[in-house]
Amino acid sequence: MDQENQTMVTEFYFSDFPQFEKGSLLFFIPLFLIYVFIIVGNFMIFFAVQLDTRLHSPMYNFISIFSFLEIWYTTVTIPKMLSNLVSKEKTISFIGCLLQMYFFHSLGITEALVLTVMAIDRYIAICHPLHYATIMTPQLCIQLSAGSSIFGFLMLLPEIVWISTLPFCGPNQIHQLFCDFKPVLRLACTDTSMILIEDVIHAISILTSVCIITLSYLRIIAVILRIPSGKSRQKAFSTCAAHITIFFLFFGSVTLMYLRFSVTFPPLLDKAIALMFAVLAPLFNPIIYSLRNKDMQDNIVCSQNMFNVSGSQ
């Protein structure tokens, strides 16, 4: 009987989404518009960098990679959220839940590594400008980008494989906006304390990235403050302002979401943090990189004009 019960749960139910007749459309429309903006905005940044040879520098290549990752990072969760808002069956299969967790966190880790590489790139460009071209070669940029992706997608595999072997015998209600480790593990019918080892590994990797990025930008700011020319100083600051803003948005939400250990938040605040982490932080990426970067603005406008001309023909 126990074995039978342990194989009963084949899908999970998102119990905290409102029913359609109870006003879920009020959440569906803004979330849909945000998702469209994220996809279109990040695609425009990605293609602006790829199509214009003037932007084929390490900094812009890393920005385009980050934008490309944001597209898939949000696509892993938001379409399912939209479906849950209009569907009566707010369920996800066990395999679908595992895949959502795997790709969501793998893409998130890859983004964190790309942000770390971007900080190192800016550090070398501003603190060691004479050696920049010889250090940040195209080959090294490719290796750093590929290494970030490979490490990001391999790091989560042991944890996902382990979760796939756990027995889930009910209940099957996930009290979160998407499949995540803690809400899912609470439903397992066995001891899951081993996850603490993975939590420590994740915490160390997050804190390592934060320390590298923080030290890089502190050193950059110290160098910029010593620049005698006000115009040169302003240009250097504006170059790093977008990176620093994205850093605070991304790692701020990561810290609230995953570095709280035994600290518990009220359910509503917990979902608000998850929404900020999965939706609002990616929303600001195209805004920040397009509005705070004149080169990017010019190339996005040029790309739009090019598409308009080709469409009119």
Side-chain angles (χ1 to χ4, degrees), residues 7 21 48 74 78 83 90 108 150 187 206 214 219 274 277 282 284 303 311:
T7 59
E21 59 271 13
T74 52
I78 296 181
S83 171
K90 307 176 191 300
I150 293 169
L187 305 178
I206 292 168
T214 302
R219 177 61 178 157
F277 179 59
F284 288 105
S303 299

Side-chain angles (χ1 to χ4, degrees), residues 240-291:
C240 297
H243 301 309
I244 295 172
T245 306
I246 293 293
F247 163 66
F248 277 115
L249 276 171
F250 183 86
F251 283 100
S253 57
V254 166
T255 300
L256 287 173
M257 193 80 177
Y258 298 110
L259 292 185
R260 57 193 185 191
F261 297 104
S262 60
V263 178
T264 57
F265 293 140
L268 187 60
L269 180 58
D270 203 38
K271 290 173 184 60
I273 293 170
L275 193 68
M276 181 179 72
F277 179 59
V279 179
L280 296 184
L283 169 66
F284 288 105
N285 176 49
I287 297 173
I288 291 167
Y289 278 130
S290 60
L291 293 183

Side-chain angles (χ1 to χ4, degrees), residues 101-176:
M101 285 192 294
Y102 173 67
F103 284 106
F104 181 72
H105 286 282
S106 294
L107 287 162
I109 291 170
T110 305
E111 285 188 356
L113 293 172
V114 170
L115 286 174
T116 306
V117 170
M118 288 165 67
I120 295 171
D121 171 71
R122 289 299 84 205
Y123 168 77
I124 298 171
I126 293 174
C127 300
H128 302 283
L130 298 178
H131 302 287
Y132 181 73
T134 56
I135 296 174
M136 295 301 295
T137 61
Q139 292 80 6
L140 180 61
C141 292
I142 292 172
Q143 291 170 358
L144 290 170
S145 302
S148 298
S149 299
I150 293 169
F151 183 81
F153 279 84
L154 286 179
M155 186 176 177
L156 264 294
L157 270 179
E159 192 166 355
I160 294 297
V161 170
W162 173 66
I163 293 174
S164 69
T165 64
L166 297 177
F168 290 88
C169 50
N172 68 337
Q173 295 185 354
I174 295 178
H175 297 285
Q176 188 51 280

Side-chain angles (χ1 to χ4, degrees), residues 46-268:
F46 177 77
F47 283 118
V49 173
Q50 300 303 315
L51 296 175
D52 195 324
T53 54
R54 292 173 298 175
L55 297 181
H56 288 181
S57 65
M59 181 182 78
Y60 287 113
N61 282 327
F62 291 136
I63 289 174
S64 73
I65 291 169
F66 187 79
S67 295
F68 185 74
L69 290 169
E70 287 279 74
I71 293 166
W72 301 111
Y73 176 77
T74 52
T75 300
V76 171
T77 55
I78 296 181
K80 185 59 183 174
M81 291 185 205
L82 292 170
S83 171
N84 288 336
L85 286 169
V86 295
S87 173
K88 288 186 177 180
E89 295 183 0
K90 307 176 191 300
T91 59
I92 187 170
S93 67
F94 178 69
I95 297 297
C97 190
L98 289 177
L99 289 173
Q100 188 179 65
M101 285 192 294
Y102 173 67
F103 284 106
F104 181 72
H105 286 282
S106 294
L107 287 162
I109 291 170
T110 305
E111 285 188 356
L113 293 172
V114 170
L115 286 174
T116 306
V117 170
M118 288 165 67
I120 295 171
D121 171 71
R122 289 299 84 205
Y123 168 77
I124 298 171
I126 293 174
C127 300
H128 302 283
L130 298 178
H131 302 287
Y132 181 73
T134 56
I135 296 174
M136 295 301 295
T137 61
Q139 292 80 6
L140 180 61
C141 292
I142 292 172
Q143 291 170 358
L144 290 170
S145 302
S148 298
S149 299
I150 293 169
F151 183 81
F153 279 84
L154 286 179
M155 186 176 177
L156 264 294
L157 270 179
E159 192 166 355
I160 294 297
V161 170
W162 173 66
I163 293 174
S164 69
T165 64
L166 297 177
F168 290 88
C169 50
N172 68 337
Q173 295 185 354
I174 295 178
H175 297 285
Q176 188 51 280
L177 303 176
F178 50 86
C179 286
D180 207 357
F181 291 122
K182 287 188 177 179
V184 170
L185 287 173
R186 288 194 193 106
L187 305 178
C189 305
T190 187
D191 179 30
T192 60
S193 58
M194 200 177 112
I195 196 67
L196 288 174
I197 299 172
E198 288 287 339
D199 286 343
V200 171
I201 294 172
H202 294 165
I204 291 171
S205 63
I206 292 168
L207 291 173
T208 301
S209 291
V210 170
C211 288
I212 292 172
I213 295 172
T214 302
L215 291 173
S216 297
Y217 284 121
L218 286 175
R219 177 61 178 157
I220 288 169
I221 291 170
V223 171
I224 291 174
L225 291 175
R226 293 203 299 266
I227 297 175
S229 171
K231 185 175 288 187
S232 299
R233 193 187 307 123
Q234 184 179 1
K235 184 178 179 181
F237 264 125
S238 65
T239 302
C240 297
H243 301 309
I244 295 172
T245 306
I246 293 293
F247 163 66
F248 277 115
L249 276 171
F250 183 86
F251 283 100
S253 57
V254 166
T255 300
L256 287 173
M257 193 80 177
Y258 298 110
L259 292 185
R260 57 193 185 191
F261 297 104
S262 60
V263 178
T264 57
F265 293 140
L268 187 60

